[in-house]
Amino acid sequence: MGRLTVTDLMNRLRWKNWLFWSLILAVYPASAQNANFGTLTLTSDRAIGSISGTTGGSTSLPAIVSSTDLHSNPCLGFGDPTPDHILVLQNNFPKLKLQVSGGPDTTLVVQGSDGSVRCGDNIGSRRDANMVDTNWSAGSYRVWVGTATPGVRRNYTLTVRQMK
């Protein structure tokens, strides 16, 4: 056996460092996802939940995900490039409702881990964003709450519930 050179030692350390971080990310993939205001998890036992945040940002949300969703609805609004929330569904849900409360002219953009996009805009006289959709598969979803005007800041609560 020969002597280790500095280059050999550095290559071994890089390999071990790469292997360590690869294993960490493989075991804990959810921790690699970032959100501005946290994660909301729904299970079959807890099929309703809410989480709060603040809108803001001047990034066009359609530029981040898509100009239309899987139902050909337009994706609208401005927000932060980082998703506001991660929605984790531990089970398949046949029908979910996502509702924003707290600010006029809000929008919703939801992107699944498979790349599918669902978008919701304001409804009714309050103009809070609302979305009802079917066939939600278990997994992680990135959620943006946006506003119709760039840079507008609004405190909000996002409620997600299973519908019958």
Side-chain angles (χ1 to χ4, degrees), residues 109-146:
V109 176
V110 180
Q111 182 181 44
S113 56
D114 64 353
S116 63
V117 176
R118 302 167 196 241
C119 296
D121 196 5
N122 50 35
I123 61 160
S125 61
R126 292 199 53 204
R127 299 177 53 135
D128 285 331
N130 181 327
M131 174 191 311
V132 177
D133 205 357
T134 58
N135 300 320
W136 294 82
S137 298
S140 293
Y141 295 81
R142 301 182 328 151
V143 179
W144 287 266
V145 177

Side-chain angles (χ1 to χ4, degrees), residues 49-94:
S50 62
I51 192 166
S52 296
T54 303
T55 63
S58 55
T59 301
S60 169
L61 296 178
I64 296 172
V65 291
S66 174
S67 60
T68 59
D69 70 5
L70 59 94
H71 303 296
S72 298
N73 296 318
C75 296
L76 304 170
F78 295 89
D80 193 88
T82 303
D84 296 307
H85 309 283
I86 303 295
L87 173 63
V88 177
L89 304 179
Q90 292 188 343
N91 306 87
N92 293 334
F93 286 91

